[in-house]
Amino acid sequence: REEREARYPAFRDATVATCEVPEGSMLYLPASWLHEVRSFSGSKKEAGHLAFNYWFHPPDGPVPNFGRPYATDFWPGDWRDRCRSEQHGT
């Protein structure tokens, strides 16, 4: 714990966020976001479920960098454009 706090002093101020993603929906997490997933079926009748992770484009920055994981703004811009299109129905 002491080593972690020495290496990552802001970790002490981190907060937890939780969410439930309903059936048929997805959750987008930006590149480099630390996360834990627990998945389950909605009922015992439906014993199967699927949790699927897909990298549209893995981080390619010159060094690991949480704030700027990509070497260019192409992929973050592409995601913003996709979200705008869905919001406006285009």
Side-chain angles (χ1 to χ4, degrees), residues 14-69:
T15 57
V16 173
T18 61
C19 71
E20 288 190 26
V21 181
E23 181 179 335
S25 297
M26 68 174 250
L27 173 65
Y28 169 76
L29 294 173
S32 302
W33 274 40
L34 179 64
H35 62 281
E36 175 184 356
V37 175
R38 293 182 193 171
S39 57
F40 54 90
S41 293
S43 72
K44 294 194 180 213
K45 280 185 187 177
E46 300 170 15
H49 69 279
L50 174 68
F52 180 71
N53 290 310
Y54 179 76
W55 286 89
F56 286 100
H57 189 287
D60 64 353
V63 295
N65 182 334
F66 178 80
R68 188 167 171 82

